[in-house]
Amino acid sequence: MSTKPAIGFCGLGAMGMGMATHLVKQGYPVTGFDVWPPSLEKFAAAGGMPSSSLADSAKDKAFYIVMVASAPQAQPALFGDDGIVKALPKDATLILCSTVASDYVKSVEQELKDVGRSDLFFIDAPVSGGAGRAADGTLSIMAGASSAAFEKGQWLLEEMSAPKKLFVVDGGIGAGSNMKMVHQVLAAIQILALSEAYGFAVRLGLNGKDVFDAVVPSQGWSWMFENRSQRTLKEDYFPGASAVTIILKDTGIITYMSRRANFPSKLCSIAEQVYFSALDRGWGANDDAGIVRLWTAEPVSSITSSLSAEQKESALELVIDLLTGIHLVSAAEAISLAHHVGIPLPQLYELACDAAGGSTMFKQAGAKLIEILEGKDAGKGSVLGGYAEKLKIVVDKAQEIKCPLYLGSAALNALLATGPSLSLGALLDGYSVKQGSV
Amino acid sequence: MSTKPAIGFCGLGAMGMGMATHLVKQGYPVTGFDVWPPSLEKFAAAGGMPSSSLADSAKDKAFYIVMVASAPQAQPALFGDDGIVKALPKDATLILCSTVASDYVKSVEQELKDVGRSDLFFIDAPVSGGAGRAADGTLSIMAGASSAAFEKGQWLLEEMSAPKKLFVVDGGIGAGSNMKMVHQVLAAIQILALSEAYGFAVRLGLNGKDVFDAVVPSQGWSWMFENRSQRTLKEDYFPGASAVTIILKDTGIITYMSRRANFPSKLCSIAEQVYFSALDRGWGANDDAGIVRLWTAEPVSSITSSLSAEQKESALELVIDLLTGIHLVSAAEAISLAHHVGIPLPQLYELACDAAGGSTMFKQAGAKLIEILEGKDAGKGSVLGGYAEKLKIVVDKAQEIKCPLYLGSAALNALLATGPSLSLGALLDGYSVKQGSV
């Protein structure tokens, strides 16, 4: 008999399967539930205990992890008549790892009280890192909860996360989800940015491989660019590793929460409209790296460039300047939103610099933006004139070749709306965040 | 022999043909040039004198009108070796009616000096109103020039315009083009707005005819909506009356000039990206009312609505609120740009209220926006909270049904970026226009 505590687990999709089987490998007896029988079989084959009853998966479990796709899936799983909450024993620890709106996790906290289950130790703990890191137990986890709940459950979060990748976020329930949401602002914008950049590049007559080689060591680098390029360059979209519907779900949470907070998510909301248009093309289940097909029917790596060396260099510079400008504004958008919802900014910086939302511009400008918001830079920060001028040249060129730049043109508008000062502080003001207010 | 002066005319397209034949009907001897022989034949059949030589069309003409499609067409026609300027007699009046950037007409003024033709009386006089009004001599004309040039040529502008529809704009050469550009801000946004609104409506389950009937008497009315609906409801897009490439050309002038002026054309620039995507679909030569096909493959008037009366009413309200919100922000965008480039605001108001850029919101909010910019409303105007809340509900619903709202979401962001004040003044500030500055 195992000396390690039994764990219940709901949601054996790509992420959940990795997390649950990792725990099995660590010697935990894990009872896993899923509505899809083949997942249960796969879980059993990996040494887990499958359960076709939610209530059974929760019965007598001092620890329970929920990793379903969305709030509409979580709600009946948690609070249904045969659901998890009713079945959990007294003083159990319940961890919700799904990416959901912070409003939703707060409603779960309230509903636990309303149904008389205040005894449960509830943790809001969305994750990041993809299926590979889930299976390795090296996820990034952003967690918010009471200190009592962390005392009970932090060891389990540590089992699933990499060293230093468990971020305990101040603010209780909702803070983990808010941190994840803010991080996904970067992800949502930067995923579209790379397709826009490759699409623009193709229309400039560049080959995708040359673009990759030029962007990676440049100021235009982002984690998403480097990661998704592997699929863009091979047209590995069917189904690929991360469907359009996944980033669209996260984008939807961001823009929905932004509207509730009266926050203008300038780039994220335009990204969402373009993701909708990708859905309309029937690409929802394809990899998000395939959104470049909005710009080009030809594979980006099959373009035979007829540009001279000089023309090629100047075209590559335009692509880098496009990404740099977008990533700069995405940094301001994410950090402003973090400030708006009360996320600790240095923690966001630490997390995002080394995660899927990372970019060279986030590293560089992010630090300065945070100084301004924390009142440590009375001068309101660096001047953006150079970035605005470069992005203008990019948008001029795109206009000449009639290439849509949804993010590029919106990022330029955000820079121009800073007015004559063209300062980072004015860029933050454009997100209507006032210094010192939260 | 005619007692009326001879007129030279270059550019017998849809607009130019109407203008030139109208002058013929008024008894002027008009010599018309075009590069397209069938146009010359048509002009001859209408009583005009065709000329296959630009220089001949200008020789001995005390008055000359240029109505080509764009600056790249105008430049060689004017300044080529066998062009108009070389051939015109001393002290002739030269009127450029094409819609071009004000920078370009200023460059023409300068080049006339540089080539030693300061004797010519040059008038910058873009027109509006479509081919029908061109042929009737009832166009709106926005003209800028020296008072000496107006003394020479104003009578001819009056021949081509409706009573009270000749707008002599202060500011000399460039002022006419700037006025046209600012008016086209409204047109460019409102043309996309109606397709977005019909597309959203179809996805809400509404029939296009019901949308038309509900919007026309509502706050969501615009001239463009009422005009283009005639084609949208009949799918009369091939070729229709106004190609996507035409509004795209004007939009391009607006955004290009805006970038030069550091002006964030928030809605116009997203409209441009969507027009580019329509080009990508191969719709450039189709009527702009057909952009609704980005949202629906089915004709909007063929939708059989299964909504209850109550559902229908609430869906129609969403569509009206969408248009109202977009038109409100488009009014702020146009008026801010007008202020930015020094266009007399009351004149813009008079012109646009009763022209293709007109909308109920422009009439209502436009007057207040102008008061604020002219310093007559120290309170910075009405509060926008109601509009923002309604538009939020619209964008929430669109998100739920995964319907892209490019303008709707950008307009909401512009409203939210006004911060807690939600005032018209803050909306103007978002366009970085400071009170009193020009």
Side-chain angles (χ1 to χ4, degrees), chain B residues 133-154:
Chain B
R133 282 172 56 192
D136 293 342
T138 58
L139 288 167
S140 296
I141 302 184
M142 296 137 268
S146 65
S147 37
F150 278 123
E151 268 177 45
K152 284 275 186 179
Q154 185 160 341

Side-chain angles (χ1 to χ4, degrees), chain B residues 296-352:
Chain B
T296 174
E298 257 188 289
V300 304
S301 56
S302 73
I303 307 295
T304 308
S305 181
S306 59
L307 303 180
S308 69
E310 203 177 328
Q311 289 170 325
K312 194 168 134 180
E313 194 182 342
S314 107
L316 288 169
E317 199 179 314
L318 290 173
V319 176
I320 291 168
D321 289 345
L322 171 63
L323 286 165
T324 303
I326 294 170
H327 296 166
L328 169 62
V329 179
S330 77
E333 188 158 316
I335 290 170
S336 295
L337 180 58
H339 189 59
H340 213 62
V341 298
I343 287 294
L345 301 182
Q347 200 175 28
L348 167 66
Y349 187 76
E350 189 192 342
L351 186 159

Side-chain angles (χ1 to χ4, degrees), chain B residues 25 27 36 41-42 67 120 144 176 178-179 181 190 193 213 250 259 271 273 306 316 337 346 410:
Chain B
K25 281 185 211 145
W36 179 237
E41 285 164 29
K42 193 175 164 192
M67 188 56 194
L120 296 179
N178 270 334
M179 180 65 95
M181 172 177 73
Q190 284 156 206
D213 292 341
D250 290 3
R259 289 196 292 280
Q273 312 314 311
S306 59
L316 288 169
L337 180 58

Side-chain angles (χ1 to χ4, degrees), chain B residues 387-405:
Chain B
Y387 295 109
E389 286 310 312
K390 283 181 178 176
L391 199 48
K392 264 189 210 176
I393 294 168
V394 170
V395 177
D396 280 349
K397 183 67 188 180
Q399 181 174 58
E400 188 190 319
I401 62 174
K402 304 190 191 307
C403 173
L405 294 185

Side-chain angles (χ1 to χ4, degrees), chain A residues 166-170 179 343-352:
Chain A
L166 171 61
F167 295 88
V168 172
V169 188
D170 286 349
M179 180 65 96
I343 287 295
L345 301 182
Q347 201 175 25
L348 167 66
Y349 187 75
E350 189 193 341
L351 186 159

